[in-house]
Structures are given as C-alpha cells and as structure tokens.
Amino acid sequence: MALNVTLKIFRYRPNQPARCDTFDVTVPDAANVLDAIEQAWDKHDRDLMFRHACHHASCGTCAVRINGREKLPCIAPVRDYLDGGKPITIEPLRNFPIVGDLVVDVTGLFQRQEATGFVITRPTEDSLDGKRVDHTQCLAPASAAIVPFNRFENCVECGICLSACPTMAADDKFFGPAGLAAIQREVDKTDDPNARARLLDLADDEQGVWRCHSAWECTEACPQNVNPAEAIMDLRKQITARRFKKLFAR
Ligand code: SF4
C-alpha cells in the first residue's frame, strides 16, 4: 500500500527571508519521514538541503523537528503522522545556527563533546549481571582467531537534546545536555583521580550543571536513551559530595 502525504518544509538561505514550501509525495506504507523528505528532493526540488547518512539511527545526522518535536526522521514512520490529510511539518533543530533549509551547524555540539574528552567507544561494558566484562577477552568460535571489538557509546551526537533544551534556548553558552552526559560517562569510566577532578571542575561551572533548569526535555527527546537529565543530576550529587568532603577536611 502507498501513502500520499503532504510535507510542509522549512526553507532558508542566508540573506533571504525564511519560508515554508509544501510538497505532495507518495511513499510506501512502511516508509519513514526521511524517505518522504528524499522523495520531495528527488521528485520536486533538488535544491532542498537536508542531511542523512546511515538511515538506521546510528549516525544522528538527519535530526530535525517533525510537527514541532525533535526526532530522527530515519526511524519515524510516516504513518504515525497521518492526521486527516494535514501536512507533516519538518523544521531544522533549534538552538543551532541554520546553514540552509533543514541543515544546522553542529560545530558547537562537537566542540563541547571534545572538551570533555568523550571517547565514543566503550572498551568495557557491564554484563547483564552487573559484573564488568572486558570484550577484548571474548573468544570467537574455536576455529577463528580472538577478535577484539568495541561497543559504541549510546550517544550518536545528533543534537536533539540541545534543540529540546529550554536552557539552551535562553543561553547558548550553557554546556548542554549531551556534553554534561558525556562528562558523567567519563567520570564513571575513569579510575584516574586527576582526570575525575578535571571533569567535575568542567561540570561545576556557572554554565555547567547548575545552569540546568531540570525540565527533563533532553531525556524525553533523546532517541538513544542516554538520559542526559539523570546524568546531570548525578553530576550535581557528585559535585556536592566533593564540596562537603573538602569542607569537612579543613
Ligand atoms: S544525548 Fe541523546 S539527544 Fe543528546 S546528542 Fe546524544 S543521542 Fe542525541
């Protein structure tokens, strides 16, 4: 079965007024919103700017707002947005500079992630029973050599949490949910007290965890269950404990 849908897509070029264009497209019943955007590009307007890569929520590249909510359109079924023929609205992420149409400049996100030293692969991973397992020691089938492998961190650096964050909307200097979640992951992973202290100092900044208004929109919107809001609360606890420890050590 095919679905006939109308997309209302935000259009923008520097030094030109922003507008919305409407495209009627036909996609298969199982199509996702990214497929519909690609149809609009393919059949109607090759100037339409949008980003995409993996098509299965592994790269975070295609993030946009669908009907006002931050989503990865590569895993958002078109049929979930059928509403009596009303158009599906597609807009770029908020709180980033717009390059053109649906494409935003995510440099700020990557710079924050880099400042944390966030390593996007996990050399170790908790097993289901809570014991640490070193995957480099996992045995391949008897006939094969031992093949070390890494699992990737959950965060795909899509920027959705920064777009959904009301604090970010008011203050572009805020370190942001993804960066603070990255700090918490690194604090959790390191055994080095100096590295831990540096990371907690980074989070214990006026633009760090204390700037968050606890709206939890980041956790609500994150497509990868990173739960940045909980990471921020955890960092607050650790920073407060560190302050008390210093106070009582005097
Ligand atoms: S924390 Fe979630 S929403 Fe934020 S960048 Fe990472 S995957 Fe995207």
Side-chain angles (χ1 to χ4, degrees), residues 161-162 164-167 174 176-182 184 208-210 212-222 225-237:
C161 55
L162 275 74
C165 172
T167 304
F174 176 44
L180 292 169
Q184 195 266 350
V209 288
W210 310 110
C212 166
H213 294 170
S214 312
W216 289 72
E217 296 285 346
C218 53
T219 287
E220 184 74 24
C222 175
N225 297 321
V226 172
N227 202 344
E230 194 167 287
I232 292 170
M233 299 309 136
D234 181 65
L235 283 173
R236 284 180 175 175
K237 266 195 276 180

Side-chain angles (χ1 to χ4, degrees), residues 3-208:
L3 302 174
N4 296 316
V5 287
T6 303
L7 302 182
K8 193 172 167 190
I9 301 183
F10 178 90
R11 307 300 301 270
Y12 169 80
R13 289 291 184 278
N15 306 317
Q16 292 178 24
R19 64 177 198 277
C20 282
D21 283 349
T22 301
F23 302 100
D24 293 323
V25 295
T26 302
V27 290
D29 179 51
N32 288 308
V33 173
L34 181 58
D35 302 312
I37 296 170
E38 286 178 330
Q39 280 284 322
W41 172 84
D42 187 34
K43 305 284 186 212
H44 297 289
D45 188 345
R46 293 286 177 114
D47 281 343
L48 178 62
M49 289 176 67
F50 63 105
R51 298 200 312 160
H52 61 107
C54 75
H55 282 237
H56 56 257
S58 285
C59 72
T61 302
C62 64
V64 289
R65 282 181 295 144
I66 306 174
N67 288 352
R69 302 295 299 186
E70 287 78 7
K71 297 282 175 194
L72 293 179
C74 62
I75 53 166
V78 168
R79 78 173 88 85
D80 287 359
Y81 294 93
L82 298 179
D83 184 12
K86 282 190 197 160
I88 303 171
T89 304
I90 316 286
E91 297 166 287
L93 293 182
R94 283 180 286 218
N95 307 330
F96 292 96
I98 302 174
V99 176
D101 299 339
L102 304 176
V103 177
V104 295
D105 180 355
V106 289
T107 306
L109 166 65
F110 293 143
Q111 284 172 339
R112 288 174 175 87
Q113 299 294 90
E114 206 176 314
T116 69
F118 185 53
V119 180
I120 68 164
T121 53
R122 316 176 180 211
T124 57
E125 172 73 338
D126 288 336
S127 69
L128 286 177
D129 62 5
K131 290 181 190 154
R132 300 293 273 187
V133 172
D134 182 352
H135 284 289
T136 60
Q137 300 303 311
C138 287
L139 290 178
S143 58
I146 294 173
V147 183
F149 65 92
N150 286 321
R151 182 203 185 286
F152 285 105
E153 286 285 355
N154 284 355
C155 179
V156 292
E157 300 181 333
C158 62
I160 277 179
C161 55
L162 275 74
S163 175
C165 172
T167 304
M168 209 79 227
D171 179 2
D172 64 2
K173 301 283 183 299
F174 176 44
F175 206 82
L180 292 169
I183 290 176
Q184 195 266 350
R185 278 293 297 151
E186 292 303 311
V187 166
D188 193 38
K189 284 191 283 187
T190 187
D191 295 324
D192 176 350
N194 293 329
R196 190 169 185 278
R198 184 193 75 82
L199 288 161
L200 290 180
D201 285 345
L202 193 57
D204 188 10
D205 181 271
E206 66 177 301
Q207 302 301 340

